[in-house]
Amino acid sequence: SLSCRLYCEEEKDPKRRSCQTVLAEALDIVVRSFAPILPHLAEEVFQHLPYKKDSEGVFRTGWINASSAWKKPGIEEAIEGACAMRDSFLASISGKNALEYEVIIVIEPGLLFELMEALQAEETSSISQLNEIMMASQTTLLTELPKETPADANIIKGTFLINLEGGDIREESSYKVIALPITKAKCPRCRRYTSHSSSTPCPRCLKVIAGKEST
């Protein structure tokens, strides 16, 4: 999902830029944390960062100072919940290529569903944060099983304990995960099965390509 954001999205797309921001912040923290032990390596890395303009070096610019903006309530629980569902999905396909499947996640209305909605506002998406975590070609988020669910579908059931506000909010929610073979063709650009034809890029990639050609 990280490589898809970096190499498949448009250069100035917020999803791509946000990924670069996270990587830059993570590298900054890692370099500062090992600077007291490996000073020469830390300084060399710091001096070669292409986006750093100051020349004072790692030891003159202070210790780790992560912004409070990174600490958003519910985000950690949302990611952990999505990862639990991803593990259920990957276990259900037993080592097969996750991109060859679409995932249906069913959660009853409640806190867990709201947390997943923060990762995917649309009912079905191939580019949402939730789908990136699931590692599938497409993810659908529902509150009940779709009527057209195949009778022989492998429905994986699980539970996730939400713990918010230092334990003041605790809620155990159940979920269902269904993995279905994707029916679309593989996009020749992003390699996800989201295209109408194997010789034509998917709608997302076509939009990015059109944007590049117009600049």
Side-chain angles (χ1 to χ4, degrees):
S1 60
L2 183 148
S3 60
C4 189
R5 279 195 181 197
L6 290 176
Y7 299 114
C8 296
E9 297 291 354
E10 193 174 355
E11 183 179 0
K12 295 183 180 180
D13 187 283
K15 291 190 289 294
R16 182 177 186 274
R17 297 290 290 158
S18 66
C19 183
Q20 291 178 308
T21 299
V22 170
L23 290 174
E25 184 75 8
L27 179 60
D28 185 84
I29 290 174
V30 169
V31 172
R32 292 182 192 279
S33 65
F34 69 63
I37 305 170
L38 300 168
H40 297 293
L41 176 60
E43 186 62 30
E44 183 176 0
V45 172
F46 200 83
Q47 293 297 332
H48 282 82
L49 296 178
Y51 48 83
K52 286 288 185 182
K53 301 301 181 183
D54 52 67
S55 58
E56 292 185 333
V58 66
F59 293 100
R60 293 180 179 273
T61 53
W63 184 235
I64 297 170
N65 184 25
S67 171
S68 59
W70 295 99
K71 299 178 181 179
K72 293 185 178 180
I75 291 297
E76 182 178 354
E77 286 72 20
I79 298 299
E80 289 180 351
C83 287
M85 297 173 199
R86 178 194 62 198
D87 292 343
S88 297
F89 160 56
L90 295 178
S92 72
I93 62 174
S94 60
K96 296 178 182 176
N97 184 1
L99 289 175
E100 295 179 359
Y101 290 83
E102 63 173 307
V103 180
I104 299 175
I105 299 174
V106 181
I107 309 171
E108 292 184 358
L111 186 54
L112 182 59
F113 185 83
E114 292 174 5
L115 290 174
M116 293 305 105
E117 275 191 316
L119 301 177
Q120 179 170 302
E122 309 87 351
E123 182 177 282
T124 299
S125 178
S126 61
I127 59 174
S128 68
Q129 294 181 63
L130 179 58
N131 188 65
E132 289 184 353
I133 293 171
M134 297 305 293
M135 300 167 60
S137 277
Q138 178 176 289
T139 297
T140 299
L141 181 62
L142 301 172
T143 55
E144 58 183 18
L145 281 173
K147 296 179 180 178
E148 63 272 16
T149 302
D152 59 347
N154 185 16
I155 303 176
I156 307 298
K157 299 180 180 180
T159 59
F160 180 74
L161 178 62
I162 301 169
N163 192 342
L164 290 171
E165 305 294 337
D168 291 339
I169 301 176
R170 291 174 63 86
E171 181 178 303
E172 187 172 52
S173 301
S174 60
Y175 62 84
K176 298 181 181 74
V177 175
I178 308 170
L180 300 174
I182 197 79
T183 57
K184 295 181 179 179
K186 180 191 285 188
C187 172
R189 183 174 181 270
C190 68
R191 304 299 180 184
R192 290 186 176 182
Y193 290 78
T194 52
S195 182
H196 300 299
S197 167
S198 58
S199 60
T200 306
C202 66
R204 188 272 303 270
C205 287
L206 284 174
K207 182 179 179 181
V208 173
I209 294 171
K212 288 182 177 179
E213 290 177 348
S214 63
T215 57

